[in-house]
Amino acid sequence: MSVFPKGDFYTRHFQPSGKEETLVVNMGPQHPSTHGVLRIIVELDGEYILRCEPVLGYVHRMHEKMGENRSWVQYWPNTGRVDYLHALAWNWAYAGAVEKLAGIEVPERAEYIRVITCELNRVSSHLLWWGAYLLDLGAFTPIMYAFDDREEIMDMLQMPTGSRLTYCYYRFGGVSADLSDEFLKRLSRFIPYLRSRLPMYRDLVTENVILRKRVEDVGHIDEDMCRRYGCTGPVVRGAGVAYDVRKAEPYSVYDRFDFRIPTYPEADAFARYMVRMDEIEESLKIIEQAIATIPDGPYLSKSAPKPKWSAPKGEACFAVEGARGKITYYVASDGGRTPYRVKLRSPSYCNLSCFAEAAKGVILADAVSILGSLDLVIPEIDR
Amino acid sequence: MSGRNLSFPKLCALGGDMGQMGIAEIHHVRPSQVRGAASLLLDRGWFIETIACLDLREGILVNYFYAHFTEPGRIVVRTLVQREEPEVPSIADIFQGAEWHEREAAEMSGVRFPGNPNPLPLLLSEDEESHPLQKAFEDRKPISNIVDEFIKAECWPAFISREEIEAEAEKRAEEAAAAKAAADAPAAPKAAKAAKEAEA
Amino acid sequence: MNISNWTAPDPFVTTPDMLIRLVVGLLALAAFVGANATILVYVERKVAGFIQRRPGPFEVGPQGILQTIADAAKLIGKQLVTPRGSDGFLFWLAPIVGFLPVFVMFLPIPWGESTYVVQSDVGVLLILAFAGFGVLSLCLAGWASASKWGLIGAARAVAQSVGYEIPLLLAVLAVCFSHGSMDLMAIVKEQGGWPWQWNVATQPLAFFIYFVCALAETNRAPFDLPEAESELTAGFHTEYSGMGFGLFFLAEYANMIVVCSMATALFLGGFQGPAAPGPWWFLLKVYGLLLVMMWMRWTYPRVRFDQLLNLNWKWLLPLATLNLLATAVALKL
Amino acid sequence: MGVIKEFAEALKGLKSLIVGLGITGKEFAKPGVTVHYPRKVVADKDLVTYRGHIELVGSKNDPAMPPCITCLMCQSVCPSGCIKIIKHPPPKKDPAADKNAPPEAYASGLEPKTKAAPPAKEKPVKTPKGFILDYNYCSLCGLCVQSCPVDSLRFSTEFYIADPSKKAFVYDLMARLKAQAGTATAKEKE
């Protein structure tokens, strides 16, 4: 069978314990359901997965080193490119870490703007995930409906940020542009619209018996496993743990809003699916409250750093709840022009690390289902 | 933050303020005590966030970040390893998720984690020999340049003696200065010429 | 029709009249299959487009009507790549094996009262027998391409086709029982022009089972597991390029027409219809069924492989057997 | 009982499948939502907010000249290093010009003060000679626009740009501004 007996570095390390009657296949780096260039070496016994090992690094960009050789302000565009689907959360994590380090005050309006835009971005990320997950499961149409709604979000986010995907919108001490009244009006029109779409999503997909059979009782990742692997976000909430950084380490003005942390105790792919679907509604609820109570004022602090600013020495950590889980920025500064060390804790990376254990013994199709339910963004894993 | 009473063997616990720096507690341990800390934290329900290495003049500072699903706060367990022998025992059998963090730290900062079940490169290519997050000697800063209080802490000398580092730094600086002077001497006329050309 | 009257048609003693009919019929069928597959691909993409609220093919010709022809030209123009390590002969035999039997399957289909190629007493049997060739082609393709994904796809295809052929057969058999014939023309003629006179009114369960099995037999979503692209990249035709892939594609659509034609003849009254019966009714019904197939494809997720087999062995097979028994009992009474 | 339950579940599942068909069927009948690109373009309201590559803003007095003071802030803050400003060379001390000037007369204080103000110190030309943007490497972060002290930069809304060559995306923004000013004045004349 094997035409290329040698294999590459990782395959050679993977193979020795393989049995005769099993099949070692490479899922990826170019595979439709790995959402980018992720490679998973899988040992198959028939359709069952005996063991598997993810191989990363195909889109590694060394963001951490780039942080060390460009100035504090110049690092901004990098933050939007780590996780292109929820770029504003990464923006926020960097802003938060440096603001904590330097003690920069953020005006109240800026905090509200951050909440609105970040939550809107979360909705768009979840919508895309929903479509892409259904694509993994073989349904082609939902992603088009999701894109239809997401398009409106992107148009709206373009109004203040000017970009559509890799936002670079937040600044130390605020944001780079104010929200226009037109944006707020359009947003308040959009929220009821999206709410009216959600029942359609539910009837088309969530209630669909084929989908239910595909995701229920698949890919158990329970609380203990989450702890050992450091899984966060919808994965841990799908395991019944109400862990959300917005509540656990309240940052910004999240403590002023009334929202629920959706949890499902089943710990399977369907629980994670439902957590995300509920989160869309919760995010809409937060946005609604934020629009109603957004104060007037400056959108950028007067003490906001100038371009050639350097942070004072020290170290700071800041965590943000991204669409995929807990995003943590750790910055250490020696008072120099550039950060001394930037460490990015990306949620997808930790969530994926449990895949090898979760996918042991399942059917190949279930592995795809599990992989999709983790909601991976490969550039965030590889950084 | 009080009342947690995490009593694993450590050198000292110092610093940390959730509001100021986002880290509730910082515990300094010896490399051999990392595993004990990890298993205690797992028992108490903490999960590992990430492992971050800082390349310092004194050595490589390995930080383990832990957080909790129900309690607020973040605990950092940090240990310093000498550059000559950068080894910390692996905690991948306690926190399975640490396997990847350790592999990343190993290839990026050159710390070895004996006991890691799968010590392959993770993000870099398999034949990469350099460690990108290791800094050049002149870029390495002593820890006092980042955080003062660690130096004041009594536990720091347990890691390393201050004089040693300073002596080595001085020696290096002298060498560098000598080398520079040697290089500059013949290069000076050239540089002047180049400057003239640039002007023209 | 009485089965005892049936004699094997000997090709060497056929009358010139029959020979001409066969030759003309085959030529017409070739044209029909080609034209219909082209149209179906276009229709499929338009349906997908409209369901997903986009225009679908639009640029080549008015409303993109020439898109499939452009695609076919592109496929024909592409280099045929034989992967390293594959069995070249079998590799290229597979798409041909998949495509050729389709012609034979079209032969006994009664398009209209006088529009048919061959009227055989065992028309149903002929179609079902040659339908088995399809799985051989998938198996060959997957095995010969020396690709692990292809191999898994081939294994899936075999398990799926073999499994689903049984309830399909049983469902068809129930209809044949009630008419006492395996001649499609006779079965059509015994049905009336109005929907309540069709077999689907008396055999709804058989029709349901037949349709589900037909979806599975033609590897259409939600049962497109042999080529499940999110799991197996493209399953058995992962390694095919150019017209090799094109032939599989063509065969898929031709097979769809066959199963829908058979469903029309067996359950939906064939060319019979209100007012004037004729081939247009037949085509209308076939296209109606095809549209439903497409509609389903663009609505549902894919089932999992074990669920697919469970559905077959735990639901369809017992139901089909019960249905057959009930039919037999009802006939006896 | 188990069998009945199974059948009930199967029927429920079938119902959900039919509901799904109903939804896609309804969507089938609705008009499309995509923008049919060459025939239709993105609505202006969504276009004006787009932040394309940067361009220079004409100053009030001279629309063909930017208010740029060549402080090089944008150039130094750009994370990708894609802005290059070419300064005018510093004014050369022309000995002939020096001779024409009557420094001695002024120095002596004999000249009448009403004649003219003493020639001001020659101002270094602050406007840029050239302003090159290499859009290939731009990450559209907007730091340059934000850091400009005289608001000489803004975002264009241009995104219908495509070219097989990288060279096409190295923009000479001064020339661009001149062209824009030219078309603007031409329009005014009309």
Side-chain angles (χ1 to χ4, degrees), chain C residues 229-242:
Chain C
E229 91 288 331
S230 61
E231 295 153 28
L232 306 181
T233 60
F236 61 90
H237 60 61
T238 307
E239 305 290 338
Y240 281 90
S241 60

PDB file of all heavy atoms in Angstrom, chain C residues 229-242:
ATOM      1  N   GLU C 229     -17.113  14.809   1.027  1.00  0.00           N
ATOM      2  CA  GLU C 229     -15.894  15.588   0.846  1.00  0.00           C
ATOM      3  C   GLU C 229     -15.369  16.192   2.131  1.00  0.00           C
ATOM      4  O   GLU C 229     -14.200  16.489   2.200  1.00  0.00           O
ATOM      5  CB  GLU C 229     -16.062  16.635  -0.256  1.00  0.00           C
ATOM      6  CG  GLU C 229     -16.538  17.982   0.193  1.00  0.00           C
ATOM      7  CD  GLU C 229     -17.980  17.957   0.597  1.00  0.00           C
ATOM      8  OE1 GLU C 229     -18.717  17.123   0.045  1.00  0.00           O
ATOM      9  OE2 GLU C 229     -18.357  18.736   1.471  1.00  0.00           O
ATOM     10  N   SER C 230     -16.212  16.331   3.163  1.00  0.00           N
ATOM     11  CA  SER C 230     -15.646  16.891   4.377  1.00  0.00           C
ATOM     12  C   SER C 230     -14.959  15.829   5.220  1.00  0.00           C
ATOM     13  O   SER C 230     -14.244  16.140   6.149  1.00  0.00           O
ATOM     14  CB  SER C 230     -16.721  17.611   5.186  1.00  0.00           C
ATOM     15  OG  SER C 230     -17.714  16.704   5.562  1.00  0.00           O
ATOM     16  N   GLU C 231     -15.179  14.576   4.884  1.00  0.00           N
ATOM     17  CA  GLU C 231     -14.495  13.529   5.631  1.00  0.00           C
ATOM     18  C   GLU C 231     -13.388  12.890   4.801  1.00  0.00           C
ATOM     19  O   GLU C 231     -12.277  12.701   5.259  1.00  0.00           O
ATOM     20  CB  GLU C 231     -15.489  12.437   6.047  1.00  0.00           C
ATOM     21  CG  GLU C 231     -16.527  12.920   7.018  1.00  0.00           C
ATOM     22  CD  GLU C 231     -17.799  12.112   6.915  1.00  0.00           C
ATOM     23  OE1 GLU C 231     -17.740  10.944   6.532  1.00  0.00           O
ATOM     24  OE2 GLU C 231     -18.876  12.673   7.209  1.00  0.00           O
ATOM     25  N   LEU C 232     -13.734  12.552   3.555  1.00  0.00           N
ATOM     26  CA  LEU C 232     -12.801  11.777   2.737  1.00  0.00           C
ATOM     27  C   LEU C 232     -12.245  12.605   1.583  1.00  0.00           C
ATOM     28  O   LEU C 232     -11.912  12.048   0.547  1.00  0.00           O
ATOM     29  CB  LEU C 232     -13.513  10.547   2.155  1.00  0.00           C
ATOM     30  CG  LEU C 232     -14.222   9.641   3.151  1.00  0.00           C
ATOM     31  CD1 LEU C 232     -14.840   8.483   2.408  1.00  0.00           C
ATOM     32  CD2 LEU C 232     -13.247   9.122   4.170  1.00  0.00           C
ATOM     33  N   THR C 233     -12.188  13.884   1.728  1.00  0.00           N
ATOM     34  CA  THR C 233     -11.807  14.809   0.651  1.00  0.00           C
ATOM     35  C   THR C 233     -12.723  14.634  -0.556  1.00  0.00           C
ATOM     36  O   THR C 233     -13.536  15.463  -0.811  1.00  0.00           O
ATOM     37  CB  THR C 233     -10.337  14.703   0.259  1.00  0.00           C
ATOM     38  OG1 THR C 233     -10.060  13.391  -0.177  1.00  0.00           O
ATOM     39  CG2 THR C 233      -9.434  15.061   1.408  1.00  0.00           C
ATOM     40  N   ALA C 234     -12.638  13.546  -1.314  1.00  0.00           N
ATOM     41  CA  ALA C 234     -13.655  13.302  -2.328  1.00  0.00           C
ATOM     42  C   ALA C 234     -13.914  11.824  -2.483  1.00  0.00           C
ATOM     43  O   ALA C 234     -14.450  11.386  -3.480  1.00  0.00           O
ATOM     44  CB  ALA C 234     -13.270  13.910  -3.659  1.00  0.00           C
ATOM     45  N   GLY C 235     -13.494  11.038  -1.500  1.00  0.00           N
ATOM     46  CA  GLY C 235     -13.780   9.621  -1.544  1.00  0.00           C
ATOM     47  C   GLY C 235     -13.168   8.939  -2.749  1.00  0.00           C
ATOM     48  O   GLY C 235     -12.009   9.175  -3.082  1.00  0.00           O
ATOM     49  N   PHE C 236     -13.971   8.132  -3.421  1.00  0.00           N
ATOM     50  CA  PHE C 236     -13.410   7.276  -4.472  1.00  0.00           C
ATOM     51  C   PHE C 236     -12.851   8.064  -5.648  1.00  0.00           C
ATOM     52  O   PHE C 236     -11.968   7.586  -6.330  1.00  0.00           O
ATOM     53  CB  PHE C 236     -14.453   6.260  -4.950  1.00  0.00           C
ATOM     54  CG  PHE C 236     -15.675   6.906  -5.548  1.00  0.00           C
ATOM     55  CD1 PHE C 236     -15.709   7.174  -6.902  1.00  0.00           C
ATOM     56  CD2 PHE C 236     -16.761   7.251  -4.760  1.00  0.00           C
ATOM     57  CE1 PHE C 236     -16.824   7.768  -7.462  1.00  0.00           C
ATOM     58  CE2 PHE C 236     -17.869   7.848  -5.313  1.00  0.00           C
ATOM     59  CZ  PHE C 236     -17.905   8.119  -6.665  1.00  0.00           C
ATOM     60  N   HIS C 237     -13.365   9.254  -5.920  1.00  0.00           N
ATOM     61  CA  HIS C 237     -12.794   9.963  -7.073  1.00  0.00           C
ATOM     62  C   HIS C 237     -11.831  11.083  -6.673  1.00  0.00           C
ATOM     63  O   HIS C 237     -11.645  12.039  -7.394  1.00  0.00           O
ATOM     64  CB  HIS C 237     -13.877  10.451  -8.044  1.00  0.00           C
ATOM     65  CG  HIS C 237     -14.875  11.411  -7.466  1.00  0.00           C
ATOM     66  ND1 HIS C 237     -14.508  12.620  -6.957  1.00  0.00           N
ATOM     67  CD2 HIS C 237     -16.213  11.338  -7.333  1.00  0.00           C
ATOM     68  CE1 HIS C 237     -15.587  13.254  -6.545  1.00  0.00           C
ATOM     69  NE2 HIS C 237     -16.636  12.499  -6.749  1.00  0.00           N
ATOM     70  N   THR C 238     -11.177  10.889  -5.518  1.00  0.00           N
ATOM     71  CA  THR C 238     -10.191  11.881  -5.086  1.00  0.00           C
ATOM     72  C   THR C 238      -9.119  12.110  -6.134  1.00  0.00           C
ATOM     73  O   THR C 238      -8.716  13.237  -6.402  1.00  0.00           O
ATOM     74  CB  THR C 238      -9.511  11.396  -3.789  1.00  0.00           C
ATOM     75  OG1 THR C 238     -10.515  11.074  -2.854  1.00  0.00           O
ATOM     76  CG2 THR C 238      -8.592  12.450  -3.221  1.00  0.00           C
ATOM     77  N   GLU C 239      -8.660  11.016  -6.751  1.00  0.00           N
ATOM     78  CA  GLU C 239      -7.474  11.118  -7.592  1.00  0.00           C
ATOM     79  C   GLU C 239      -7.803  11.354  -9.063  1.00  0.00           C
ATOM     80  O   GLU C 239      -6.906  11.426  -9.884  1.00  0.00           O
ATOM     81  CB  GLU C 239      -6.638   9.834  -7.480  1.00  0.00           C
ATOM     82  CG  GLU C 239      -6.263   9.460  -6.056  1.00  0.00           C
ATOM     83  CD  GLU C 239      -5.248  10.423  -5.461  1.00  0.00           C
ATOM     84  OE1 GLU C 239      -4.550  11.092  -6.242  1.00  0.00           O
ATOM     85  OE2 GLU C 239      -5.193  10.522  -4.232  1.00  0.00           O
ATOM     86  N   TYR C 240      -9.073  11.423  -9.401  1.00  0.00           N
ATOM     87  CA  TYR C 240      -9.411  11.531 -10.813  1.00  0.00           C
ATOM     88  C   TYR C 240      -9.355  12.963 -11.287  1.00  0.00           C
ATOM     89  O   TYR C 240      -9.764  13.882 -10.593  1.00  0.00           O
ATOM     90  CB  TYR C 240     -10.806  10.949 -11.075  1.00  0.00           C
ATOM     91  CG  TYR C 240     -10.777   9.455 -11.127  1.00  0.00           C
ATOM     92  CD1 TYR C 240     -10.965   8.711  -9.978  1.00  0.00           C
ATOM     93  CD2 TYR C 240     -10.533   8.797 -12.317  1.00  0.00           C
ATOM     94  CE1 TYR C 240     -10.915   7.343 -10.008  1.00  0.00           C
ATOM     95  CE2 TYR C 240     -10.484   7.429 -12.356  1.00  0.00           C
ATOM     96  CZ  TYR C 240     -10.674   6.701 -11.200  1.00  0.00           C
ATOM     97  OH  TYR C 240     -10.610   5.341 -11.240  1.00  0.00           O
ATOM     98  N   SER C 241      -8.860  13.106 -12.499  1.00  0.00           N
ATOM     99  CA  SER C 241      -8.782  14.440 -13.074  1.00  0.00           C
ATOM    100  C   SER C 241      -9.530  14.424 -14.395  1.00  0.00           C
ATOM    101  O   SER C 241      -9.831  13.370 -14.948  1.00  0.00           O
ATOM    102  CB  SER C 241      -7.327  14.831 -13.298  1.00  0.00           C
ATOM    103  OG  SER C 241      -6.746  13.897 -14.171  1.00  0.00           O
ATOM    104  N   GLY C 242      -9.818  15.589 -14.880  1.00  0.00           N
ATOM    105  CA  GLY C 242     -10.379  15.733 -16.216  1.00  0.00           C
ATOM    106  C   GLY C 242     -11.625  14.905 -16.424  1.00  0.00           C
ATOM    107  O   GLY C 242     -12.511  14.846 -15.594  1.00  0.00           O
TER     108      GLY C 242
END
